[in-house]
Structures are given as structure tokens and as C-alpha cells.
Amino acid sequence: MSTTNTPTGSAPVVPDAGRSRLAGVRGRVSVWVEPRVSGLPRVWVLVWFPVLVVVVLGVLTALGISGSSTGNYWGFFGQGADPHLLAGSPRPIRTDEWLVQSSWIVSQVQQGFPVVNHTLPGGMDATIQNDLPSWDWSTVFRPHVWGFLVLPLAQGMAVRWWLPFAGLLVGAYVFLVSVMPRRPVSSAMLAVALAFSPLIGWWFLPTTIWPYAWAFAVLVAVVWGVRSSSRVARWVSAGVAGYLTVTLAMSIYVPYAVPAVVVVAFVAVGMVLQARFSGEWPRWWPLLRRVVPLVSSAVLAVVVLGVWIVTRLDTIKAVLDTVYPGRRIQFAGALDYDGIVSTFGAPFAGALQNGVAQGLGPNQSEAAAPFMTVVFLVPLLVWLLVRSVTAARAAGSVRRLDWTVLSILVVLTVLWLFLLIPGWTPIADLLGLTRSTDYRLRLAFDLLAVVSVGVAVSRLDRDRVRARWWVALAGGLVAGASVVCTWYALRHGQEPALAAAAHWKVVSVLVVVAVVLVALRLVVPGVAALLVATLLVGLGVNPLYRGVFELPEDTKAGRAIEAIEAKDPDAQWVGVGTTVQTAMLVESGVHAFNGVQTYPPEEMWREIDPTGRYEDAWNRLANVNWTLGSGEPKVTNPVRDQVLVTLDPCSSFAQRHVQYVLSDTPVTSTCAVQVGDYRQGGLDLHIYRVR
């Protein structure tokens, strides 16, 4: 029998049971999240969150629930509460989604998904215009529109809404666990925080979300390319990146693609240099062989895009030859004082959900901004870089220099130089920055926020250190100072956004706390604070809506138009008044002179403006609407992406080319006879036949 000797008068030392159990739990968790020898995550860490995302969004899709704001039409035609609105409110400002793209989608459904949509005279290439579903080979690279081809409209709309969103969530998560494999929970929370960024919510479209998914797919392919020993994993990740490259390019929304490409280019180069000079790959050739799948995938993507461009070269040329946006260029140093305030305005974004944007931007969408977390983490990133430089000097080589951290700081600097410093536009043009805008470039800050947290935490975890207290405090002070300066600007300007901003004090504190905690390597509570802050201003931007409000089916006037179309399928229409008439004609699939044109159809404008007098006004991507006037059509631009044309039923244009007019006001003309009057909800629509 053994005994334990203890000092006289003292109690025997008994292990703390609670502390022992906690250590046991930590030990088991540590085993579960232990990465592979390569440093990459194990399978279950990699897949649990993507599976959860697919299940949740799959259920919403099956139920036909999306975040579409087509319920705005209920305000025109419905009475009482909209039975299809499950949560939130439709957003009138989201016209690109509910008024434009959704209308063209319904038009495609009405016409049987043609390659050329025949609503506008002369037709529009549906494989270029508004990211539409069509029976064309290029649709293979638009997975978000597949649902329309095989499912009911409600489910098709849900697929279009949720699939890019799932790509963003999964892409961000896989990237994060690839660089910090022991932190699957933090990675999931950070991915969700990104997904509910105000910038994403107020610009929620496939063309604006795929750039995020593409960026993370490429970065994942780089990480797995240089680290993974599995040839299958390298080729699969590269294949996904190549596929999404085609998807991104076919969206033709350059202002959002540019910031994603710029961030990926800098960070990817930094990661490759990091792999080369960290000692992981002592020679270039073996490392370059590892990225062969990614390079091959990129080459194949270029070939596919080349075929796509060549087979619709006339359409591409027409788009590029437009006055807007074909000739649009953003000059360096264009960000003014109001733009800076708006850029750092995310803590006050609750005002946007209350319908107020004054002080943060011209409207809710333009005012939306990401949390500038990457800026607040600059002290931590600089500390990590200096730490690596010190280690490199001690080793007498560049092998210890943290090239990835350096690349983040460099691209962040380049972005701010472009936004603030004039005079170097030709150089910025080489990077493509001039093809975006000050407000669209904010996407880069969203991406860099996630990348910077992932990279910074991976360095702290690798060395098992926390940043110095003054480094963490410096980051918090930067975050706090940005809030104070934004608050002062709004208060000094007596801007309505300040009074309308909900929870901005709580959000601001949470962001400051998040930055400090991440630097101190308290990652889970830090990321949780950032997630809560984001949800407070980003959750609920878009509604939950079951189905789609279809104007041809759900309105009296829409059904009347369909009846006339059945009897007179070659008739051409003009919608006069609000944009609702334009949407109704587009959705009905009839031949009409209304609708958003990605480029001007030659036949249509030859009929409206045979002399080309107004070419500068109509040669643009714009929504074409009509108002009553006298004489031949006159074309103006209320704003740069709107074309307003006058209609006189007695004009030679109307007498030759227009058979029916849909108007929200009575048309008093001897050349127009009323066919029907259709009052529904708060709108009274009239249909006239031109005689």
C-alpha cells in the first residue's frame, strides 16, 4: 500500500474535477480537429458546414421560398397583407432584382427560353442580357438558372436566389478552414458574417455574389495546390475555380468582378511566394508543378470564354460600343469626403432598413458598405509582418518573411491609393481598377476582411502566441476612431441616417471588441461578436417570399394582354407611365418597345429614331420607358441608365409600328381608342388600340 506524503497541517492535493473535465473535452476536440500532415483539414471538418448549408437552403428551395422583392407589385395591385410574404419587407430600391431581371426571367418563361428574346423589336441576346435562362450551351456555366428549365417558376427563382449564396458560404468556409483547420466553428461564423454583409444584402444578385464565391474558390485552389498531396483534391479544387471563372465572366458585370480579381491576384501571388520561401518548397519547379491543375483550368476557362465571345461577337461589340457603360471609366482619387463617410458607414446601416440613406449615400443600395474589418486589423497585420521580418533578419534570409500578410497589406494600400490619390489613372487602368467604381470596389474590403482574419489567426495559432496588448488595443482604437469620425460627420451634417440608425452603438462596440479579441487570439468570442454586429444591420435586408408575383397571371391587365396576344400575336405595344407598365409588357412576352436593354437593338431604334438624332441618349444600358408627348418620339435621359421616350398616337412612328398602348393615365387622342379599363388595387390601367 502506497502513501502520499503531505506537509504537516496541510490537506492532501486533490485534482480540480471541473478543470480536469474541461481539459478532457479540449483534448477530444483537439483530436477531432487535428489537421492532416499537410496542414489541411480532415474530411469531416471540411464538409459539415457545406452539408448544413445545402440542407437548409435546399429546404427553402423546395418550398419555393426566396428573398425576391417581387412582392412590391402587391403594393400596386393587392389589398391587405400579402399572403406570400413570410418575413421582412420587399425593398422598392432593389429594382434591378424585382423590376428588371425577374421581369425578363418571366418573359423567357413565356417565350420558352429562347436564345434571342423577342420582346424588343429586333430581339435581344438572352445569353448576354440580364443573366437569363435559355436553351443555349452557355447555360451549362450558369447553374443558378438551371432550375427555371426543369422546375416551376417559384422553385426556379429559389434556385437562382440561394445557389450563389450557398457558393459564397461554402467558398468562404472552405478557404477559412484550409488556413485555420482547427477552427471550424469560427470559420462557419465568419462565413455567415460575410454572407450578411450590408453590401451583399443590398446588392443581392447572382452577378454580385458569384465574384465572392469565385474569389474563395481560386484561393482554395491555390492553398490546396501547394499543400495537398492528393492529385484528385488539387484537380477538383482547380476545376471548381475554372468553372466559376467562366460563370463570373459570363455575368459581364465588370464593376463587381474587378475588385475580386485584383484581391485574388495579389493574395494568390503572396501565397505562392509564401510556399516557396517558407522552406516548404525549396525549389521553384516542384512548386510550379503543383499549380499545373489551376493553370490548366484557367487556360480551359479562357478557351470556353473565347468560344462564347466569338459566337456572339456582334452582341459583345454592341455592348462595348454603348455610351454607358461601355465608355465608363473611373478616375483615380475620385473618392470624396462623403464617399469616405459612406465607406465606413456599416455600423449605421440599420438606417437603410428603416428606409433612410441620406448621409450614407444617394440611396440604400449605394449607401451599403462592408464592415472595414481589414482596416481595423492593420496594426495586427503590420505586427505579424514586422515579426516575420525580424525572424528573417535573424535567419539571414527572406525565408521567414510572411509574403501572404505582405500581399494583403499591399493590395489594401493599392486600393486606398486608387480611391484617394489622383493622377495615376493610366497605371490604375492596367490593374483594371478604372473599370469599377468607388462604391463597387467595396467588395474588395469584404473579401480582405475574411482573408485577413483567416491569415492572421493562422499565424497566431501556428506560433501559439497572442499579439501584444498594445497591438490589440491599437486595432480597437482604429475601429473606434472610425465610428467616432463617421458619427461626427453625420451629426455635423445633421444627416437623417444618424437618427434612423438602429443599434449603431451596440454594433460599434461589438466591432471594436471583435478586433481586440481576434488579436488576442480569443477567436471564437471575437468572431461571434463580429457575427452579431453583422446580423444586427444585415439580417432582414431582403424578405422571405414564397413564390413569384407574376404580372401576366396575377393582374387583370396582365390577363387582358395575354388574351389580346392570343388573337393578335404580331402586335407591338408601348407602355406609358410608371415602370410597372414596362414590367407587365416584358413579363407578358409580347412585342414591346419597353424594357431594360443591355445594348440598343438596331431595328427598334431605327423605327423610333430613324435619323439617329438621339443616339447618345439611347445608345446605353438602360430601362426604356415612355410618356405621352406630341409629334415624333423625343428621347431623353432622366438619369444615365434611364431612357424616356415620348409617344403621340398620331405620330408616323405610332401609326406605322404601334398597335396597342398600355397606360396608367387616360390617353386623350383621336388616334387611340380604349379597349379596356382595368382597375386593381391602387392602380388603374387602360389599354388602347392605335388607329
Side-chain angles (χ1 to χ4, degrees):
M1 180 177 178
S2 60
T3 59
T4 302
N5 294 324
T6 61
T8 304
S10 65
V13 177
V14 180
D16 187 326
R19 189 174 298 176
S20 177
R21 285 194 297 271
L22 180 60
V25 171
R26 287 178 175 174
R28 288 192 294 273
V29 171
S30 179
V31 171
W32 292 341
V33 299
E34 183 67 24
R36 305 166 189 262
V37 176
S38 63
L40 294 171
R42 297 190 179 277
V43 173
W44 87 266
V45 172
L46 198 65
V47 304
W48 76 270
F49 183 70
V51 169
L52 179 62
V53 169
V54 170
V55 170
V56 173
L57 299 187
V59 170
L60 291 174
T61 299
L63 296 175
I65 297 172
S66 70
S68 173
S69 286
T70 59
N72 273 294
Y73 292 121
W74 183 266
F76 293 99
F77 298 103
Q79 293 181 337
D82 186 346
H84 299 288
L85 181 62
L86 305 179
S89 302
R91 300 295 179 179
I93 190 62
R94 301 270 290 118
T95 52
D96 281 353
E97 184 269 315
W98 65 274
L99 186 65
V100 178
Q101 295 199 3
S102 294
S103 296
W104 280 114
I105 288 170
V106 176
S107 180
Q108 282 291 99
V109 173
Q110 294 281 353
Q111 297 185 23
F113 308 108
V115 173
V116 177
N117 185 287
H118 296 287
T119 295
L120 301 179
M124 294 279 291
D125 190 335
T127 66
I128 296 291
Q129 178 190 17
N130 292 315
D131 204 28
L132 301 178
S134 65
W135 290 112
D136 183 73
W137 68 268
S138 62
T139 302
V140 171
F141 297 95
R142 290 188 170 102
H144 50 287
V145 303
W146 294 352
F148 294 112
L149 303 177
V150 297
L151 297 172
L153 180 60
Q155 280 70 30
M157 187 66 76
V159 170
R160 184 176 184 269
W161 188 270
W162 297 121
L163 186 60
F165 190 64
L168 179 153
L169 284 167
V170 172
Y173 173 79
V174 172
F175 167 76
L176 287 167
V177 293
S178 295
V179 296
M180 46 181 199
R182 290 184 174 87
R183 297 189 178 274
V185 175
S186 297
S187 297
M189 288 193 296
L190 190 54
V192 174
L194 171 66
F196 286 95
S197 165
L199 185 65
I200 292 175
W202 288 104
W203 288 97
F204 202 110
L205 286 172
T207 52
T208 59
I209 295 179
W210 280 128
Y212 290 90
W214 170 84
F216 290 118
V218 175
L219 294 179
V220 166
V222 173
V223 174
W224 283 70
V226 300
R227 289 187 186 177
S228 177
S229 59
S230 169
R231 183 176 299 178
V232 173
R234 295 199 300 272
W235 279 101
V236 168
S237 60
V240 172
Y243 177 86
L244 290 182
T245 298
V246 180
T247 302
L248 175 68
M250 285 186 177
S251 74
I252 69 169
Y253 194 30
V254 176
Y256 252 86
V258 163
V261 171
V262 170
V263 168
V264 167
F266 276 88
V267 176
V269 169
M271 288 180 168
V272 172
L273 292 175
Q274 179 72 16
R276 170 64 180 85
F277 293 117
S278 66
E280 186 177 353
W281 294 97
R283 292 185 300 163
W284 275 110
W285 178 240
L287 173 60
L288 294 178
R289 286 175 58 187
R290 284 302 190 98
V291 296
V292 165
L294 184 57
V295 174
S296 301
S297 184
V299 170
L300 186 58
V302 170
V303 171
V304 172
L305 290 170
V307 174
W308 181 68
I309 291 172
V310 169
T311 54
R312 59 216 75 216
L313 196 58
D314 290 342
T315 302
I316 298 291
K317 185 176 183 300
V319 172
L320 295 177
D321 286 344
T322 55
V323 174
Y324 169 85
R327 302 174 193 174
R328 178 176 61 184
I329 187 171
Q330 182 73 37
F331 293 96
L335 188 67
D336 56 14
Y337 174 81
D338 291 336
I340 295 173
V341 172
S342 177
T343 301
F344 285 90
F348 302 88
L352 306 181
Q353 295 202 37
N354 290 325
V356 179
Q358 293 93 328
L360 296 176
N363 56 56
Q364 292 151 290
S365 295
E366 296 290 348
F371 283 97
M372 302 297 286
T373 312
V374 62
V375 174
F376 310 148
L377 288 175
V378 164
L380 174 61
L381 295 171
V382 171
W383 180 76
L384 290 170
L385 182 63
V386 171
R387 196 166 179 268
S388 72
V389 170
T390 303
R393 287 179 178 175
S397 71
V398 296
R399 292 186 180 278
R400 297 293 298 276
L401 183 64
D402 199 320
W403 293 93
T404 306
V405 172
L406 178 61
S407 70
I408 295 172
L409 291 170
V410 169
V411 70
L412 182 62
T413 302
V414 169
L415 290 169
W416 279 113
L417 288 175
F418 175 73
L419 292 172
L420 298 175
I421 307 300
W424 63 291
T425 299
I427 299 175
D429 194 37
L430 298 176
L431 296 174
L433 293 171
T434 58
R435 300 301 170 179
S436 187
T437 68
D438 294 345
Y439 290 93
R440 307 301 184 273
L441 278 174
R442 293 174 180 178
L443 180 148
F445 299 118
D446 249 344
L447 290 174
L448 286 172
V450 174
V451 172
S452 61
V453 171
V455 171
V457 170
S458 71
R459 301 308 188 255
L460 297 175
D461 284 348
R462 178 193 63 193
D463 298 335
R464 297 183 179 180
V465 297
R466 297 179 178 178
R468 304 281 185 173
W469 66 267
W470 51 268
V471 173
L473 182 60
L477 289 175
V478 172
S482 75
V483 173
V484 171
C485 290
T486 305
W487 168 83
Y488 176 79
L490 295 175
R491 183 174 180 272
H492 181 72
Q494 297 182 339
E495 301 292 355
L498 183 59
H503 314 301
W504 72 266
K505 295 178 182 178
V506 175
V507 171
S508 301
V509 171
L510 287 171
V511 173
V512 172
V513 169
V515 171
V516 173
L517 292 180
V518 168
L520 294 177
R521 204 178 159 216
L522 299 172
V523 182
V524 172
V527 172
L530 185 61
L531 172 60
V532 173
T534 304
L535 293 178
L536 285 175
V537 296
L539 184 65
V541 169
N542 294 293
L544 284 180
Y545 198 82
R546 186 176 67 250
V548 179
F549 194 106
E550 297 181 65
L551 294 173
E553 305 295 333
D554 298 333
T555 65
K556 297 177 183 178
R559 292 190 290 272
I561 292 171
E562 287 191 320
I564 295 173
E565 169 72 3
K567 296 178 181 179
D568 192 0
D570 296 325
Q572 297 194 121
W573 293 69
V574 165
V576 173
T578 67
T579 52
V580 173
Q581 286 83 274
T582 292
M584 185 171 290
L585 293 177
V586 170
E587 288 196 16
S588 298
V590 299
H591 303 295
F593 289 89
N594 294 64
V596 172
Q597 58 178 26
T598 305
Y599 60 94
E602 292 183 9
E603 179 180 325
M604 170 174 161
W605 289 106
R606 190 165 54 245
E607 294 175 357
I608 297 173
D609 183 25
T611 65
R613 176 184 177 185
Y614 300 104
E615 182 175 354
D616 281 349
W618 53 254
N619 183 20
R620 59 186 64 225
L621 185 157
N623 195 354
V624 181
N625 295 301
W626 293 73
T627 187
L628 294 175
S630 61
E632 297 306 313
K634 301 175 182 64
V635 187
T636 57
N637 301 121
V639 293
R640 64 183 181 180
D641 61 352
Q642 298 287 326
V643 172
L644 185 63
V645 194
T646 61
L647 175 71
D648 181 351
C650 294
S651 67
S652 59
F653 160 74
Q655 290 295 307
R656 293 178 60 187
H657 302 295
V658 180
Q659 284 73 51
Y660 292 95
V661 175
L662 174 67
S663 177
D664 60 355
T665 57
V667 177
T668 56
S669 171
T670 58
C671 298
V673 56
Q674 182 165 292
V675 174
D677 182 2
Y678 308 94
R679 181 178 294 276
Q680 184 176 354
L683 201 61
D684 189 12
L685 295 179
H686 312 267
I687 295 179
Y688 296 87
R689 182 175 179 85
V690 177
R691 62 181 181 182

